[in-house]
Each structure stands twice: as C-alpha cells, then as structure tokens.
Amino acid sequence: MDSHKEQLQSRPRFSSRLSIIAVAAGSAIGLGNIWKFPYITGKNGGAAFIVVYLCCIALIGLPVLISDFIIGRRGGGNVVSSFRSLAGKRSPWLLGGFLALFGSATVLSFYGVVAGWSLEYIVKALSNEFAGKTPAQVGEMFGSFIVSPVEPIVYQLIFMATTAGVVYAGVKKGIESFSKLMMPVLLGIILLLCIRSLTLPGAGAGLAFLFKPDFSKLSAAGVLDALGHAFFTLSLGVGAMITYGSYIDKEEDLATTAVQICMADTVIALLAGIAIFPAVFAFGVEPGQGPGLVFVTLPNLFAQMPGGYFFCVLFFVLLTVAALTSSISMLEVSVAYVSEDLGMSRKRATLLLTGLISAVGVVCSLSMGEYQEQLTFFGKNVFDLADFAVSNIEMPIGGAISVLFVGWILKRRKVNDELTCNGKRKVPFVGAFLFTAKYLAPMGIAIVFLHSLGLF
Ligand code: PHE
C-alpha cells in the first residue's frame, strides 16, 4: 500500500451520526449566523433580502454542500488531494483546491478579528460594563474599542492561538466534544432573547422589517450579498466542507446530513434576527449601521432581562465557542493540505499558518482604526475588502466549481454510490440533485454575478 493510501486510511473519522452533524453544523453555525446575518439584513433593508437569501440557501447552498461532501468523502483527502484523486494529477480542477486554500485563509483572517471582539465582550460583560448605559453609549463603547490599535488585536491573537491549539490537538478529540455540548445551550439563550425582544414595546416594527418584504429596497449589491452570505454561513466554497467530508464515515447519509445542517443553520440565523430586530427598533438603534449592530444591540437587551448579567456573559462565551468551532474548520483546510501534501509536521503547519493568517488579521483590525486611510482600497477598508472578496466572489466561484465538478465530471455511478451509500439506501432524488448541480445552481450563481455587474 502506498503511503498516501495509508495516510488516508489512518485519517480520523467522526464516531457517530450525531458527531458529523454536530461538527459540520459547528462549522456552519457561527458568527455568520449571529453577527453577520443580522447586520447585512439590516444593511440591505430586511425582509426582501431574507427572501433572496433563503432561495440561495435552498437552490444553491444545499446542492453545493452536498457536492462538497461528495468530493471530500470520495476524494478522501484534503481540499487539493481530493480533487487530485478524483480528477487526475494535472487536472485544471486542482485550481479549485488552491482557490479554496486561499479563501479559507482569507476568511479566517478577518473572522479572527470579529471573534476577538466577542472574546473581549465576555470580559466587558463580566465586569458589568454595560450596566446603566444607553444604547448610544454602548454604541460609542463598541466604536472606540474596535478602532483602538492594541486591544482588539490582543483578543484576536488569543482567539487565534486557541484555534491553533484545538486544530493541533486533532480533529476527533478537540472538536467533537466541543460542538456537542455547545449548540443546545446557545439555542436556548437565543430563544430567551427572542422572547424578551418580542415583548419590548414597539417590537412590531422589527418583525415587519424582518418579514414584510419590500423589493424596492433591495439593490443588485444586496442580491450579491444574499448569495455570498448563503455560502459564508454554510462554510462553502473554501474547502471546509470538503475537508470535513473526507472525515465522514462511508455509511453516513450525506444528503440528509446536508439538509439538516442547512435547516439548523437557517433556524439559528432567523432566530438571531428575531432576537435582534425588534430590539433594534424598540431602542432606536440604526439597523443599517454595519458590523457593530449585534454588539451594540444585545448588551442593552440583556440589561432588560431578569438574570441579564449572567445570560450576557454566557451568551458571549457561547458565541466565542461557536466562532471557534467555525474557525477550526477554516484552519483545518490549510493545515490538512500543508501537513499531508507538503510533508510538514502537523504541529509546524499549524503554527506557521496560524502566524501568517493572524498577521493578515492584524492588518484587517488596524484598517478599521487609525490606519483606515492608508488601509482603504477600492473604497473599502481591508477588513471589509477581505470579507467582500471572499464571501461575494471567491466563495460563489469555489461553490460553482464544486457543483460543476460533481455534476459534469464525476461519473454518475460515483455520485450515485456516494448518495446511496453504495446502494444501501434508497435515494429518489439523485436525478434531481444532478440536474441542480449541473444547471440550476451554476446558472443561479452566474445570474447573480451578472446582475451585480449590471448586465442582467
Ligand atoms: N459558516 C461560518 C459562520 O457562519 C463561517 C465559515 C466560513 C466557516 C467558511 C468555515 C468556512 O460563521
């Protein structure tokens, strides 16, 4: 047996059905749901944006997720070697793997910054700094925190070091136990927040904002945001789900797992919206203010809740852990590649990559403060630019590569084997899936791109 095969056989596998769902959902559910979804919904005018976003999840995100899983499990390696073993050594499809490596590293660079904010908010919550503050004062607090040149970077680096520690400890031990514990508690707190938010005077305006679509508010850029966020929130197009796919047991039902992940992810995002927007309107916070929305609104909401101090601390702890289960999946993409294909030890690869990615993250953080002027390109600071370039451009392209590869290149028999667990399960929708992967999803991505360029 050659060493590559040996290595693949010794790759860790997730132990049970719950584990793979928990771990992949752990990657999907994170800051994307609780921080980014509400803020871009606010920025793009609410309900109409959500309608487009939900369509993107169902028609594009789900088939891409299934395709990523198929490529990973069938290819059995990291994001590059999976494409290599399925398409051949010199195939141009390998570029898809390299693109994903670049994407996963870039996304982690700014993700680590936001996770650092969440970490710092644990400290603020513990020391009761939000007590007695008006929403405007909490807003000022957030604003002056993120522009400071040192503090956010310290927290970002602590977060990145933690991510590295978990990735270094290995897929199985590190990640599984974390994910299983965390999700239900996080869900519980979000539900409590929803109840409190919905019972505030003036909550109705928030609900209308979320659920009464007005398509005149939605721009072409908003449609691209919706598509990009569908990829971001499901961890698609950057190799995370391909890498995790390679750890999934052959007996697992990929399609059902993918559907469950999409549903769990969407429910959490919508609940986060229901927790935040009624409060935004009740407190008179600006819904379109950008990345600070959640950090400005929630502390005030907790302040109006019995046991608010305790729940606020717990919430930011869990948000940070949710971010961690996502960030480890991002780092795992390049660590798996560098350690398996370039022959570096896992430890060295983890250290080296974490260092590089954190350095870019430091630039992202600085681009929001004092150095904003020097660090602004194409009208966006480096932080926004990294987010835009990955979420709205790289991820949809990476996702298109996955569906096109599974739809057109991979033999139908192999796709069938993967979806039916080698014929052990009856799966009536293989044909429908292939049709979506071949035509619908790639065309959807192309249409949104052309639309955003004003060509459609
Ligand atoms: N899906 C994660 C979130 O919603 C972010 C993520 C993107 C994770 C890409 C892995 C890869 O927070």
Side-chain angles (χ1 to χ4, degrees), residues 27-28 30-33 107 111 232-235 238 240 326 329-330 395:
S27 168
L31 295 169
N33 307 61
V107 77
Y111 202 85
F232 185 90
T233 195
L234 294 174
S235 314
V238 290
S326 299
S329 74
M330 298 172 195
M395 287 178 161

Side-chain angles (χ1 to χ4, degrees), residues 24-36 103-104 107-108 110-111 229-241 265 322-323 325-331 333 390-391 395:
S27 168
I29 296 168
L31 295 169
N33 307 61
I34 293 162
W35 160 73
K36 195 172 173 193
S104 61
V107 77
L108 181 52
F110 72 86
Y111 202 85
H229 189 62
F231 282 92
F232 185 90
T233 195
L234 294 174
S235 314
L236 300 175
V238 290
M241 293 305 193
D265 188 84
T325 56
S326 299
S327 64
I328 42 195
S329 74
M330 298 172 195
L331 186 58
V333 175
V390 179
S391 309
M395 287 178 161

Side-chain angles (χ1 to χ4, degrees), residues 82-213:
S82 289
F83 274 110
R84 190 189 303 123
S85 76
L86 296 173
K89 260 197 181 143
R90 284 180 209 290
S91 161
W93 291 96
L94 287 188
L95 288 177
F98 289 110
L99 185 72
L101 282 178
F102 166 78
S104 61
T106 311
V107 77
L108 181 52
S109 66
F110 72 86
Y111 202 85
V113 175
V114 184
W117 300 347
S118 174
L119 193 58
E120 203 269 352
Y121 263 52
I122 301 176
V123 180
K124 277 202 168 62
L126 272 173
S127 47
N128 214 3
E129 275 183 50
F130 305 118
K133 298 240 166 38
T134 63
Q137 286 167 327
V138 175
E140 270 163 35
M141 230 160 111
F142 175 79
S144 62
F145 162 63
I146 63 161
V147 300
S148 85
V150 180
E151 242 196 319
I153 292 175
V154 171
Y155 285 100
Q156 175 224 347
L157 295 179
I158 297 175
F159 178 82
M160 291 300 294
T162 314
T163 304
V166 179
V167 168
Y168 174 60
V171 175
K172 245 188 146 154
K173 278 180 284 165
I175 310 178
E176 244 182 54
S177 38
F178 253 174
S179 310
K180 271 190 209 165
L181 275 177
M182 177 211 90
M183 297 280 169
V185 189
L186 182 62
L187 182 64
I189 300 198
I190 295 176
L191 283 172
L192 287 179
L193 280 172
C194 288
I195 296 172
R196 180 62 274 217
S197 191
L198 287 170
T199 47
L200 288 171
L207 277 183
F209 183 81
L210 277 177
F211 296 115
K212 266 210 188 128

